[in-house]
């Protein structure tokens, strides 16, 4: 039988994502509702190592549901990758008698959690918090919806100036290993081309599509490029093909960290609230070593092992849709 859970800790880790605060709020509120004590670990795994741990109560998470970033801060810890670092982290948790941990983050966060759980046996539940939407075991990650809405808003603005000046714009969005942000942004903003790491980039295909547009008197074009695309990104792609389009002035815009900030959309707030709350229930019912997600609008549990190693199936229909609509 697993030990009764009385004190849980929550932390955020890896790249911040809008909605992380809503997740922390849900953890604190549901845990308090269930009679547990909750602790916040500041600065991710590094804060766990350094014992930056504080009690959180209902009032500690007031007025944060709408805020981007994370009140618990976040970090990427090299020290946690060492056995000595993890031992110090375990000692910190012991000092607060913590018997269950909830981590909101991405792949690296869950890799750390899996190792830590194996070494020290503390129950661990993960919540997917990353703008990249690249985790197996959930349809969407916390922060993705906000990030794509920010990106689409930026592309809409670029569209105005591209239209006014007859320009060809290459717009780079985030996604180091994943094209979800690029795909959704491209479809949502009516891009003429979308370059993704999940699909090998055919420069000729892109130039042909843009030339077709020119033939139809298209006076400006927008191409959305994922930062992780094999072409090397928007700057490289623009350099490569701009000679073929003397009719256009070619420009590059990199949206960058704008996509990581801002008030979370309602979709992200609801997703984060569901997952944060359910993470507490999961610990109470003895679950561990799993990431929570939402699949077809139902809560889904995925072992860390799978969430880390398995590739999220990429929706090929969406790629096709983008191609048809861009033509
Ligand atoms: O993993 C999320 C992400 O936003 C990626 O899309 C991006 O490449 C990376 O983080 C940038 O991380 P940082 O700003 O922490 O270097």
């Amino acid at each position: 039988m697993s030990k009764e859970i009385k004190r849980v800790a929550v932390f955020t880790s890896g790249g911040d994502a809008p909605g992380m605060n809503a997740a922390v709020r849900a953890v604190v509120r549901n845990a308090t509702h269930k009679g547990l004590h909750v602790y916040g670990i500041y600065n991710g795994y590094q804060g766990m190592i350094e014992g930056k741990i504080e009690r959180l109560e209902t009032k500690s998470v007031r007025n944060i549901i709408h805020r981007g970033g994370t009140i618990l801060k976040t970090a990427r810890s090299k020290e946690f990758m060492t056995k000595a670092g993890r031992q110090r982290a375990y000692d910190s948790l012991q000092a607060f008698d913590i018997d269950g941990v909830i981590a909101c983050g991405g792949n690296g966060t869950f890799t750390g959690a899996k190792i830590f759980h194996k070494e020290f046996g503390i129950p661990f539940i993960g919540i997917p918090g990353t703008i990249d939407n690249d985790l197996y075991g959930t349809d969407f990650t916390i922060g993705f919806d906000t990030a794509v809405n920010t990106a689409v808003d930026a592309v809409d603005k670029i569209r105005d100036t591209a239209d006014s000046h007859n320009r060809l714009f290459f717009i780079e969005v985030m996604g180091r290993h994943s094209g979800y942000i690029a795909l959704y942004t491209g479809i949502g903003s009516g891009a003429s081309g979308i370059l993704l790491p999940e699909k090998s980039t055919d420069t000729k295909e892109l130039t042909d599509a843009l030339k077709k547009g020119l033939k139809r008197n298209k006076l400006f074009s927008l191409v959305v490029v994922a930062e992780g695309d094999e072409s090397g990104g928007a700057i490289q792609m623009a350099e490569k093909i701009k000679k073929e389009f003397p009719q256009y002035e070619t420009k590059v815009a990199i949206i960058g960290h704008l996509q990581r900030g801002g008030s979370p959309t309602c979709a992200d707030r609801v997703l984060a609230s569901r997952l944060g709350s359910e993470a507490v229930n999961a610990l109470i019912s003895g679950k561990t070593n799993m990431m929570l997600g939402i699949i077809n609008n139902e809560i889904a549990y995925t072992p860390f092992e799978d969430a880390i190693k398995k590739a999220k199936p990429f929706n090929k229909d969406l790629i096709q849709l983008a191609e048809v609509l861009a033509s």
Side-chain angles (χ1 to χ4, degrees):
M1 258 245 340
S2 49
K3 191 179 156 213
E4 192 189 349
I5 301 284
K6 291 192 185 132
R7 291 160 171 256
V8 298
V10 57
F11 71 102
T12 52
S13 171
D16 64 333
M20 280 183 161
N21 283 327
V24 171
R25 173 180 177 271
V27 168
V28 173
R29 294 272 162 99
N30 188 28
T32 308
H33 176 73
K34 300 261 157 65
L36 311 183
H37 284 187
V38 194
Y39 293 81
I41 302 170
Y42 290 81
N43 298 336
Y45 284 119
Q46 194 54 37
M48 196 187 284
I49 291 170
E50 292 164 10
K52 294 204 169 117
I53 300 175
E54 270 174 25
R55 178 83 194 271
L56 296 177
E57 295 173 51
T58 297
K59 64 175 192 281
S60 327
V61 290
R62 262 185 215 147
N63 203 21
I64 65 167
I65 193 165
H66 62 297
R67 282 170 58 186
T70 158
I71 61 158
L72 294 180
K73 312 283 185 181
T74 184
R76 294 188 170 109
S77 171
K78 287 219 164 71
E79 204 180 339
F80 194 78
M81 291 177 190
T82 66
K83 179 80 206 266
R86 292 193 293 276
Q87 180 63 55
R88 282 185 65 200
Y90 176 71
D91 294 343
S92 303
L93 296 182
Q94 288 289 93
F96 286 83
D97 268 340
I98 285 163
D99 33 36
V101 182
I102 296 169
C104 183
N107 214 295
T109 308
F110 304 145
T111 305
K114 184 177 158 260
I115 299 168
F116 192 72
H117 173 74
K118 192 166 172 221
E119 287 172 347
F120 300 103
I122 290 201
F124 239 97
I125 291 290
I127 311 175
T130 162
I131 65 164
D132 288 353
N133 199 31
D134 58 349
L135 286 166
Y136 178 88
T138 190
D139 289 342
F140 296 106
T141 56
I142 296 166
F144 172 70
D145 187 64
T146 308
V148 290
N149 275 287
T150 301
V152 164
D153 182 53
V155 178
D156 285 350
K157 288 176 173 138
I158 290 168
R159 172 183 282 273
D160 289 342
T161 178
D163 183 10
S164 305
H165 287 267
N166 299 347
R167 282 173 173 167
L168 167 60
F169 257 93
F170 286 84
I171 304 153
E172 185 173 301
V173 295
M174 276 186 161
R176 207 173 358 206
H177 306 294
S178 162
Y180 270 96
I181 297 178
L183 184 58
Y184 273 64
T185 303
I187 293 174
S189 60
S192 303
I194 307 174
L195 308 184
L196 316 162
E198 289 81 357
K199 182 179 177 279
S200 67
T201 295
D202 184 337
T203 310
K204 183 162 177 329
E205 205 179 280
L206 176 67
T207 52
D208 285 352
L210 293 172
K211 280 176 186 165
K212 245 166 88 188
L214 266 175
K215 270 202 192 124
R216 289 195 315 272
N217 230 1
K218 202 167 179 192
L219 296 178
F220 74 96
S221 269
L222 308 173
V223 179
V224 174
V225 185
E227 66 170 325
D229 183 64
E230 82 219 37
S231 61
I235 296 176
Q236 285 79 349
M237 205 36 159
E239 271 310 309
K240 204 165 169 189
I241 71 169
K242 71 178 183 195
K243 286 182 278 337
E244 297 200 40
F245 295 95
Q247 307 87 334
Y248 289 133
E249 201 182 344
T250 300
K251 293 276 177 184
V252 173
I254 297 176
I255 306 179
H257 286 79
L258 266 180
Q259 293 156 97
R260 286 255 289 266
S263 181
T265 58
C266 182
D268 270 330
R269 295 180 200 194
V270 173
L271 176 67
S273 299
R274 288 179 76 182
L275 296 177
S277 178
E278 188 58 28
V280 173
N281 299 340
L283 280 178
I284 292 173
S285 67
K287 294 195 171 65
T288 182
N289 228 8
M290 303 212 176
M291 185 195 85
L292 290 185
I294 301 266
I295 298 178
N296 295 331
N297 208 23
E298 299 282 343
I299 299 278
Y301 292 87
T302 302
F304 280 147
E305 176 81 17
D306 292 347
I308 297 159
K309 291 217 179 109
K310 290 197 178 170
K312 185 178 184 121
F314 208 80
N315 191 334
K316 297 260 163 33
D317 295 349
L318 285 183
I319 297 184
Q320 255 179 15
L321 173 72
E323 284 166 5
V324 171
L325 299 186
S327 59

